[in-house]
Amino acid sequence: MPETSGSQPETLSRLRAMTQKQEQILQGAMQVFLRDGYAGTSMDRVSVEAGVSKQTIYSHFQDKQGLFKALIESVTIASFREIFCTEDLHGEPAILLREIAETYLTEVADNPVYLALFRLIITESQRFPELAKLYTRTVIQRGRLLLSQYLASHPELGITDPEATAQIFFGSLVSYVMVQEILYGKEMMSLSRDRILDSLMSLVLAHTGKDS
């Protein structure tokens, strides 16, 4: 579900062209950001963790925010490349929508790095709102735009407000991951993914007579 200030093809081109040195820096940066938080991360610490000079980091990523942005792009696009690295979505609604939902839950809930990054963004959002806005632009806005366009192109679904429905669709998945994986819902009120997915499909496909 990624989007950046540039176009999606430009972002993909940057990631494909990423050098081994840049990947090395991002790996080191990930360790420091997750260990020390955004405020506690410095280029000096990233330099030590990544095993490169501070000037090398600046030459590739400009500043700390640029480094964090590249990290978000790398993690999210790697997670959702197959579905969202496109200009639009295609496929039978009952199949595609379930595939999107399953991919999101698998790539987020089962990915400790993604979960840790997500938790960091939430934790730092009050002190550094630009981080939350960056994630929203990179992940949420892209996903909602693509899905709302897809829903609007399928009148047989009987959806009167595609944008709001897209928000509800992804909001349900995000809420599920947050409650189950971050707020310890898995221990206190566990709810299987299949039940969430089956109910979500039934709601979206209600007017088609298909729910799986």
Side-chain angles (χ1 to χ4, degrees):
M1 310 173 228
E3 182 179 70
T4 67
S5 56
S7 68
Q8 192 68 3
E10 288 173 351
T11 302
L12 287 173
S13 295
R14 285 202 306 273
L15 290 177
R16 292 191 185 106
M18 188 171 291
T19 66
Q20 184 176 358
K21 181 69 68 177
Q22 288 171 319
E23 292 177 355
Q24 178 182 340
I25 294 170
L26 289 181
Q27 287 296 320
M30 175 70 80
Q31 299 303 314
V32 180
F33 277 122
L34 297 186
R35 184 186 68 227
D36 301 335
Y38 187 81
T41 294
S42 67
M43 291 304 199
D44 286 321
R45 293 181 179 183
V46 174
S47 172
V48 172
E49 190 72 39
V52 300
S53 70
K54 188 164 63 172
Q55 186 56 44
T56 298
I57 301 174
Y58 280 118
S59 68
H60 285 293
F61 300 104
Q62 297 185 338
D63 55 24
K64 185 165 72 170
Q65 184 168 337
L67 184 59
F68 195 74
K69 177 181 177 181
L71 201 56
I72 290 178
E73 287 181 347
S74 176
V75 173
T76 59
I77 289 181
S79 297
F80 303 113
R81 184 184 302 275
E82 292 184 7
I83 291 179
F84 288 105
C85 290
T86 179
E87 291 305 311
D88 50 38
L89 299 172
H90 300 281
E92 174 67 26
I95 297 174
L96 177 66
L97 295 175
R98 181 133 194 155
E99 181 183 359
I100 291 172
E102 288 179 342
T103 297
Y104 181 87
L105 293 181
T106 299
E107 295 296 339
V108 176
D110 295 341
N111 186 339
V113 172
Y114 197 116
L115 277 178
L117 185 63
F118 190 35
R119 186 181 288 109
L120 172 63
I121 292 167
I122 294 172
T123 301
E124 302 280 23
S125 62
Q126 185 170 3
R127 286 192 299 170
F128 301 100
E130 66 274 13
L131 298 184
K133 292 177 183 178
L134 175 61
Y135 181 84
T136 297
R137 286 194 303 270
T138 305
V139 182
I140 300 171
Q141 192 174 38
R142 173 68 177 174
R144 191 172 75 178
L145 174 63
L146 281 174
L147 185 56
S148 63
Q149 290 174 340
Y150 174 82
L151 297 176
S153 70
H154 285 268
E156 74 275 15
L157 294 174
I159 293 173
T160 58
D161 191 335
E163 187 176 17
T165 302
Q167 178 64 48
I168 292 169
F169 184 90
F170 283 122
S172 299
L173 300 174
V174 172
S175 172
Y176 177 77
V177 170
M178 287 187 64
V179 171
Q180 295 292 298
E181 305 295 336
I182 296 179
L183 300 179
Y184 302 97
K186 189 183 291 185
E187 299 177 12
M188 302 169 60
M189 42 185 249
S190 183
L191 185 65
S192 75
R193 295 182 190 181
D194 284 341
R195 288 177 63 190
I196 287 292
L197 291 174
D198 290 344
S199 295
L200 187 56
M201 293 304 104
S202 294
L203 289 171
V204 178
L205 303 173
H207 292 283
T208 69
K210 300 177 181 179
D211 59 5
S212 62

